[in-house]
């Protein structure tokens, strides 16, 4: 983009697969990764004479999302048929909500800004098409296509933001926050890589300060937060080029090509009349009772923003650390369990346990999770194990570098994931014994009389360097296990004395 001459206007449509046991309108399992076409029945295959029955749990999840996003819950909402023809949709229509969605007019707090949520509505997912055989055939270069209907009829909640987002970074922050909220309220496993969270973006440009919206394009096929930001960045640059050449942006749907790092035209944007919506005649209106909505409201768990604020003040950790804890799946649960285990032990480690735990969890532990792709709950180091490590540091058994080594070993499964066992096996315990360390200091100084003389008579600059030299020698002598505080004190005393 050329300088600051354009303002980005971005709106996002997030499709969230709801983690119900069964599909939206039938009893087939809602599960990922099964043999193709094993989770199907007459209803989700759209066979003649079959009738849909609405999944109560899916509605409850939609109400939870509405509650978390401060939406108005419609007292009455209805389902529509959205008609279009595609092989992965067996009925040739999708049951969705159109002008009367279950949730409307909400918001999500993202950093300092409140981003509007236009609506959230229930709909069924489509099946999946796979193009196979690389013979350069007519279907995307493939010989033929296979269709898997296991996903057909899986419940989706489509959450549509208002065009309130002003940059790729803000779009990314919105999805991150929304993902944490959806995870915290237990309605979805929010895995972008498995498609249980899918994001489409609308973007247009306008001169700064202008009220009028420019022509927008819709971008599809972004499979990670990183691709979302990259795609928006690219598309903003492309639109700026078009506008600056004096041409008009064409309203269309564009496909993000991750490898090429660009978008390309997919099709001209459909208008709603292209879908010939009409009310679904086989379903009654959805009328969630006041009692039901009250029950949902009363059972709402703590939301990430509130949890972040609580951890910030209770543990005295940084804003960044608290943010990382609540926005990484399962991480805050892990950290809270570790802190609880430290406190339960009832020794001096309880003071500052939150800060110590947050430090390990958002540092070494998170790096390990990112590297291995594991979930916190699957680590060989349990929260109780981390609590053990924190206590070993607090009582002086382990120095910080030794603790780091033990943590690495525990994460690799050594010692059954028990830091205490690893310390015993490797003989790693920090040495704080004064007499033992005094002997080491004396021996090192005796072995370097010339350096000791220079230290005692030398200039200031040299003294600092020599001091470091002695410390290095005694540390090496203790194989890194000497307690640095005790060693420093003994060194000072011995060098100042005889
Ligand atoms: Zn079915």
């Amino acid at each position: 983009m050329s300088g600051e001459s354009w303002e980005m206007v971005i709106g996002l449509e997030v499709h969230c697969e709801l983690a119900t046991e069964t599909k939206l309108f039938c009893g087939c399992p809602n599960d990922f990764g099964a043999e193709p076409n094993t989770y199907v029945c007459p209803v989700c295959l759209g066979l003649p004479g079959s009738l849909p029955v609405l999944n109560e749990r899916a509605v409850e999840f939609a109400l939870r999302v509405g509650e978390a996003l401060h939406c108005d819950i419609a007292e009455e909402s209805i389902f529509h048929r959205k008609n279009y023809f595609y092989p992965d949709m067996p009925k040739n229509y999708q049951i969705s909500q159109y002008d009367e969605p279950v949730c409307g007019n909400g918001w999500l707090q993202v950093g300092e800004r409140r981003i509007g949520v236009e609506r959230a509505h229930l709909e069924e997912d489509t099946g999946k098409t796979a193009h196979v055989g690389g013979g350069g055939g007519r279907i995307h270069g493939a010989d033929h296509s296979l269709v898997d209907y296991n996903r057909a009829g899986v419940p989706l909640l489509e959450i549509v933001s208002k065009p309130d987002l002003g940059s790729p970074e803000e779009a990314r922050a919105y999805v991150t926050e929304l993902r944490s909220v959806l995870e915290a309220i237990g309605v979805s496993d929010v895995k972008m890589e498995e498609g249980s969270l899918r994001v489409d973006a609308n973007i247009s440009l306008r001169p700064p300060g202008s009220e009028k919206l420019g022509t927008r394009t819709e971008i599809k096929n972004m499979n990670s937060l990183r691709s979302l930001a990259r795609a928006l960045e690219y598309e903003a640059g492309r639109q700026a080029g078009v506008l600056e050449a004096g041409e008009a942006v064409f309203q269309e749907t564009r496909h993000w090509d991750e490898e090429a790092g660009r978008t390309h035209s997919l099709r001209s944007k459909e208008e709603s009349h292209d879908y010939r919506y009409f009310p679904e005649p086989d379903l009654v209106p959805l009328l969630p009772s006041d009692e039901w909505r009250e029950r949902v409201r009363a059972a709402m768990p703590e939301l990430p923003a509130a949890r972040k604020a609580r951890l910030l003040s209770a543990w005295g950790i940084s804003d960044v650390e608290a943010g990382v804890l609540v926005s990484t799946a399962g991480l805050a649960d892990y950290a809270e369990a570790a802190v609880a285990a430290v406190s339960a032990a009832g020794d001096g480690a309880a003071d500052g346990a939150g800060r110590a735990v947050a430090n390990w969890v958002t540092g070494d532990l998170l790096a390990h999770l990112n590297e291995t792709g594991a979930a916190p709950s699957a680590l060989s180091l349990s929260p109780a194990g981390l609590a053990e490590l924190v206590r070993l540091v607090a009582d002086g058994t382990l120095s910080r570098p030794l603790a780091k080594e033990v943590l690495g070993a525990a994460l690799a499964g050594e010692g059954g994931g028990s830091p205490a066992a690893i310390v015993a096996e490797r003989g790693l315990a920090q040495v704080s014994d004064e007499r033992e360390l005094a002997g080491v200091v004396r021996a090192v100084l005796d072995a370097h009389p010339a350096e000791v003389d220079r230290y005692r008579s030398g200039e200031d600059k040299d003294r600092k360097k020599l001091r470091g030299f002695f410390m290095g020698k005694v540390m090496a002598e203790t194989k890194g296990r000497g307690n640095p505080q005790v060693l420093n004190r003994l060194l000072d005393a011995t060098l100042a004395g005889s």
Side-chain angles (χ1 to χ4, degrees):
M1 280 178 83
S2 65
E4 303 295 313
S5 49
W6 301 101
E7 185 181 295
M8 287 189 219
V9 179
I10 299 167
L12 298 180
E13 294 171 12
V14 173
H15 287 85
C16 164
E17 270 185 11
L18 299 176
T20 52
E21 299 282 317
T22 55
K23 293 186 181 180
L24 189 53
F25 299 115
C26 64
C28 290
N30 169 16
D31 213 353
F32 180 80
E35 274 289 299
N37 298 307
T38 50
Y39 295 162
V40 289
C41 74
V43 175
C44 56
L45 286 178
L47 300 188
S50 63
L51 288 172
V53 176
L54 181 58
N55 183 332
E56 184 179 346
R57 190 91 174 131
V59 176
E60 178 160 336
F61 284 178
L63 296 179
R64 260 192 231 175
V65 173
E67 198 60 48
L69 299 179
H70 317 91
C71 289
D72 299 331
I73 308 286
E75 285 179 20
E76 172 173 346
S77 69
I78 62 167
F79 288 90
H80 271 74
R81 288 190 182 178
K82 181 181 184 180
N83 297 277
Y84 62 102
F85 303 99
Y86 203 74
D88 63 10
M89 207 171 51
K91 297 198 291 282
N92 281 336
Y93 60 83
Q94 176 190 29
I95 303 179
S96 180
Q97 294 195 297
Y98 179 47
D99 51 358
E100 296 177 51
V102 58
C103 307
N105 198 30
W107 50 269
L108 178 67
Q109 189 74 30
V110 180
E112 299 297 305
R113 294 197 57 210
R114 184 170 285 192
I115 306 300
V117 171
E118 181 82 37
R119 55 187 280 154
H121 67 259
L122 281 164
E123 65 184 25
E124 55 180 342
D125 208 347
T126 61
K128 255 187 195 166
T129 311
H131 305 297
V132 282
R138 286 189 301 171
I139 317 153
H140 300 294
D143 295 328
H144 58 284
S145 298
L146 297 172
V147 187
D148 174 9
Y149 290 121
N150 283 352
R151 202 179 68 179
V154 159
L156 291 178
L157 193 73
E158 179 174 341
I159 302 162
V160 184
S161 86
K162 291 191 174 146
D164 286 352
L165 299 157
S167 69
E169 298 71 42
E170 201 167 53
R172 193 179 169 142
Y174 169 85
V175 177
T176 303
E177 185 64 30
L178 182 59
R179 193 174 61 175
S180 316
V181 168
L182 295 171
E183 197 220 348
I185 62 177
V187 300
S188 173
D189 65 15
V190 296
K191 290 181 184 155
M192 279 186 94
E193 65 283 7
E194 286 183 9
S196 43
L197 201 71
R198 309 197 280 273
V199 183
D200 299 335
N202 287 294
I203 175 170
S204 62
L205 300 183
R206 63 183 174 191
S210 162
E211 289 292 312
K212 198 167 161 280
L213 290 170
T215 305
R216 63 169 199 234
T217 56
E218 181 178 356
I219 319 172
K220 287 185 177 294
N221 192 46
M222 297 156 295
N223 299 320
S224 66
L225 290 172
R226 190 169 163 268
S227 353
L228 170 68
R230 283 181 72 206
L232 286 168
E233 200 63 62
Y234 171 86
E235 182 60 15
R238 190 194 68 83
Q239 288 187 12
V242 169
L243 294 170
E244 282 157 20
E247 292 163 24
V249 171
F250 184 55
Q251 182 168 336
E252 61 185 349
T253 301
R254 298 182 66 87
H255 180 91
W256 168 246
D257 183 336
E258 178 72 28
E259 249 169 65
R262 57 186 297 269
T263 62
H264 60 78
S265 181
L266 202 60
R267 55 174 183 258
S268 63
K269 175 74 184 166
E270 299 87 349
E271 299 291 340
S272 60
H273 61 249
D274 292 333
Y275 291 119
R276 292 165 295 120
Y277 279 101
F278 63 88
E280 166 61 64
D282 292 338
L283 287 167
V284 294
L286 172 59
L287 311 159
S289 67
D290 289 348
E291 292 75 27
W292 192 8
R293 288 165 52 189
E294 192 43 53
R295 249 194 346 266
V296 168
R297 194 173 302 136
M300 283 296 280
E302 183 181 42
L303 294 179
R307 190 177 205 181
K308 182 180 165 187
R310 176 169 59 80
L311 297 182
L312 254 176
S313 78
W315 293 356
I317 56 180
S318 72
D319 193 73
V320 172
E321 283 177 318
V324 168
L325 284 177
V326 299
S327 63
T328 310
L331 208 57
D333 287 343
Y334 183 99
E336 289 212 66
V339 170
V342 175
S343 302
D347 51 28
D351 284 342
R355 198 176 300 176
V357 164
N359 205 288
W360 288 117
V361 168
T362 60
D364 296 56
L365 211 103
L366 183 63
H368 176 82
L369 292 174
N370 288 338
E371 218 169 87
T372 58
S377 55
L379 289 174
S380 54
L381 178 73
S382 67
L386 180 61
E388 201 172 276
L389 186 80
V390 166
R391 292 172 60 223
L392 288 170
V393 174
D395 73 9
T397 307
L398 289 178
S399 63
R400 179 89 195 166
L402 285 178
K404 205 173 158 71
E405 183 184 335
V406 171
L407 183 83
L411 287 172
E414 207 178 297
S418 159
I422 293 164
V423 167
E425 274 168 25
R426 294 194 174 192
L428 283 177
Q430 176 169 261
V431 179
S432 301
D433 183 82
E434 296 249 351
R435 190 174 301 178
E436 189 180 339
L437 293 180
V440 173
V441 168
R442 172 63 61 193
V444 164
L445 296 185
D446 284 353
H448 300 90
E451 284 82 358
V452 173
D453 282 346
R454 269 172 46 214
Y455 181 86
R456 286 177 174 154
S457 60
E459 297 151 20
D460 281 356
K461 214 175 79 188
D462 258 2
R463 280 171 68 96
K464 204 170 169 191
K465 217 164 139 192
L466 283 165
R467 183 65 174 66
F469 167 80
F470 295 135
M471 190 61 184
K473 286 286 175 196
V474 291
M475 263 310 201
E477 203 60 40
T478 64
K479 298 191 173 65
R481 292 162 51 225
N483 181 328
Q485 276 169 322
V486 177
L487 283 175
N488 269 317
R489 184 158 43 74
L490 290 169
L491 258 177
D492 285 338
T494 317
L495 283 166
S498 58

